[in-house]
Amino acid sequence: MKPRPFTYVRPHSVAEAVAALSRHGESARILAGGQSLVAMLNLRLVEASAIIDISRLTELSNMRVVGNALEVGAAVTQNRLLTWPDLAKRLPLLAVALPNVGHFQTRNRGTVCGSIAHADPSSEIPLSLAMLGGEVVLASPRGTRTLKAQEFQTGVLSTSRAPDEMIIAGRFPLDKSRTAAFREVSRRQGDFAIVAIGAYLKDADTICLGIGGAADRPFVTDIALGKPVTDQIEDIVWQLGGHEDIHATPHMRRDLVRRLAPIVIEEARA
Amino acid sequence: MSEIEKGARVPVQLVLNGTAHTGFAESRMLLSDFLREVLGATDVHVGCEHGVCGCCTVLIDGVAARSCLTLAVQAEATTIETASSLASADGELNHLQAAFRKHHALQCGFCTPGILMSLTDLLRREPEPTRERVVDVVSGHLCRCTGYSGIIDAAMDAVNAGSPKT
């Protein structure tokens, strides 16, 4: 299918983008990589009066270390973040999670912040951001504000972004761990995860465990290594809320978490 | 700020397989449709139109991407390469295409142009990928004829034969 007609806006600065967003109102959408948005426009799952294309804004195409976090601009693609030279050393969770994001071809255009904005509960990038305690930077005519990942994503495809706000950057805290592990179950490599699980060692006795695809948003919790892991996982699977769709029943998702989580935790300890 | 009103048709300029072209497009026209219907590049195959099948994959400024998930107006002033850029002017197949023929890496051929362009991008960036890496890249395409093993074999053969003509 094809998108319904819309007005296309190409701003030359973030200020112009924010102004266009206010002017066109609630049904305007920000287009960065378009790997989710254009598909949804094609399927007419989303209707937009205006599309504001920020993909060429040089202001938003930077990755830089700010304090103890990597700030990723809203036009930076997923494959570009994958080639950040310090990724494996300073953001090991992203180094193992990002190869699961879509396919090589969609990562070439799909953006890191676009994935955060889309807020799919099975997405790897919002899950990683939540696990690392990262932040989302939003701009509007009122200025900028920063939200914790967990405050930003409120449910399935829903966030606390106001209609006149746009994401300008995501901040991923660096050096949270030296190693990390990530695995997911999907019908085909690169398809939406039925269940995605990430883990990293927080300190000698604690694992940070993150679960995607099994609830309406990323689920992040601590696992105490001094206590039996399977008992703790059994508690967790009943907290996930029983997300059901065409791919899996809540029962299957709980079972996948039971089987996958101990493997990922073990890998994260190694 | 530039703005294209709903329904307005505007000129889009780009370089397709080494030749500069201008065509007219509405803001909602997909790059895949622009290439096929306006510029006549029917080697761009359109399958699912929501980014799943990979048939419409082309190189946009040297980078493999779904042309159905890109608007034609976004391709303004870019360089586009499609499968018909791969063979030489007299029709001689490049290493990758010849390997596809040798390994029966296609039957109906519908998915082939997209896969060739993904592998072209991969082999330019990483001239000696592992088999696992090739499988990862080809996983972004659906092929309903071959079962993929011929495609993977052909790609690995092209790796050993040297990088494809660029």
Side-chain angles (χ1 to χ4, degrees):
Chain A
M1 286 182 71
K2 322 286 179 191
R4 288 206 176 89
F6 52 77
T7 296
Y8 172 84
V9 185
R10 186 184 293 150
H12 299 305
S13 65
V14 171
E16 283 189 7
V18 167
L21 195 55
S22 291
R23 186 157 41 86
H24 285 279
E26 280 197 28
S27 70
R29 296 289 165 132
I30 298 287
L31 170 66
Q35 302 301 288
S36 301
L37 178 61
V38 178
M40 291 174 88
L41 288 170
N42 289 357
L43 294 166
R44 303 197 176 187
L45 293 170
V46 166
E47 199 166 336
S49 62
I51 292 291
I52 301 162
D53 181 3
I54 61 165
S55 60
R56 294 194 193 192
L57 286 184
T58 48
E59 277 177 85
L60 298 179
S61 37
N62 295 317
M63 286 189 282
R64 55 192 184 123
V65 175
V66 180
N68 202 33
L70 180 70
E71 189 173 282
V72 180
V76 174
T77 65
Q78 295 148 2
N79 266 348
R80 207 171 130 225
L81 178 56
L82 254 176
T83 61
W84 187 54
D86 288 341
L87 194 73
K89 198 170 135 236
R90 306 198 68 186
L91 278 168
L93 179 65
L94 280 182
V96 286
L98 281 176
N100 294 284
V101 178
H103 302 283
F104 170 76
Q105 298 83 357
T106 60
R107 288 195 300 271
N108 276 339
R109 283 186 78 80
T111 62
V112 175
C113 291
S115 180
I116 296 168
H118 186 52
D120 188 299
S122 66
S123 271
E124 298 83 359
I125 293 172
L127 174 61
S128 304
L129 189 73
M131 288 175 67
L132 295 169
E135 294 173 333
V136 181
V137 187
L138 297 151
S140 73
R142 298 176 298 285
T144 61
R145 64 172 179 147
T146 304
L147 289 178
K148 291 274 177 205
Q150 298 280 44
E151 299 163 355
F152 178 74
Q153 189 164 351
T154 54
V156 178
L157 307 186
S158 51
T159 68
S160 45
R161 181 187 72 85
D164 62 351
E165 280 182 313
M166 62 175 274
I167 297 183
I168 54 170
R171 288 187 188 143
F172 294 88
L174 296 165
D175 307 317
K176 298 280 273 194
S177 67
R178 279 183 294 114
T179 60
F182 195 96
R183 279 176 182 262
E184 64 180 47
V185 176
S186 58
R187 292 298 297 269
R188 175 178 65 144
Q189 163 94 32
D191 278 1
F192 291 104
I194 296 170
V195 164
I197 298 186
Y200 66 85
L201 199 60
K202 269 174 113 164
D203 55 54
D205 311 312
T206 321
I207 286 270
C208 171
L209 182 75
I211 302 171
D216 64 347
R217 65 185 120 163
F219 184 90
V220 181
T221 187
D222 283 347
I223 296 284
L225 291 171
K227 300 182 202 158
V229 168
T230 44
D231 291 355
Q232 296 174 70
I233 291 168
E234 191 55 34
D235 285 343
I236 289 163
V237 298
W238 294 105
Q239 292 172 35
L240 294 172
H243 179 56
E244 178 157 18
D245 61 21
I246 191 172
H247 303 294
T249 59
H251 180 91
M252 180 176 163
R253 284 196 159 85
R254 283 194 292 273
D255 219 32
L256 287 172
V257 174
R258 282 189 193 104
R259 285 154 196 266
L260 205 54
I263 298 171
V264 178
I265 289 169
E266 211 41 55
E267 285 174 344
R269 291 177 74 172
Chain B
M1 188 160 9
S2 51
E3 192 158 320
I4 301 166
E5 286 294 320
K6 200 178 280 192
R9 281 158 52 83
V10 295
V12 175
Q13 282 191 310
L14 50 77
V15 174
L16 172 63
N17 298 333
T19 309
H21 288 270
T22 304
F24 281 81
E26 273 186 52
S27 55
R28 67 165 174 159
M29 185 175 237
L30 303 174
L31 178 60
S32 47
D33 289 333
F34 181 75
L35 292 173
R36 283 182 63 86
E37 293 168 19
V38 180
L39 302 187
T42 51
D43 54 333
V44 178
H45 289 180
V46 174
C48 70
E49 292 196 316
H50 60 284
V52 175
C53 75
C55 292
C56 68
T57 302
V58 300
L59 303 190
I60 305 175
D61 288 333
V63 168
R66 313 287 205 223
S67 58
C68 75
L69 295 186
T70 305
L71 303 172
V73 290
Q74 284 185 284
E76 170 72 24
T78 60
T79 297
I80 307 287
E81 292 166 79
T82 69
S84 55
S85 69
L86 298 178
S88 63
D90 60 6
E92 192 192 337
L93 302 180
N94 77 0
H95 288 318
L96 185 62
Q97 290 173 305
F100 264 60
R101 170 183 275 181
K102 181 177 157 198
H103 290 275
H104 305 286
L106 64 149
Q107 184 176 310
C108 82
F110 195 82
C111 66
T112 313
I115 297 177
L116 288 171
M117 298 324 286
S118 281
L119 289 171
T120 298
D121 180 9
L122 175 69
L123 296 179
R124 282 182 194 170
R125 272 192 241 192
E126 302 168 29
E128 292 182 348
T130 61
R131 193 177 178 89
E132 191 184 19
R133 178 70 171 140
V134 169
V135 169
D136 178 49
V137 169
V138 173
S139 79
H141 294 269
L142 290 178
C143 170
R144 287 295 180 246
C145 301
T146 64
Y148 301 97
S149 32
I151 297 170
I152 310 296
D153 290 343
M156 293 312 294
D157 203 350
V159 169
N160 297 329
S163 57
K165 177 178 70 78
T166 53

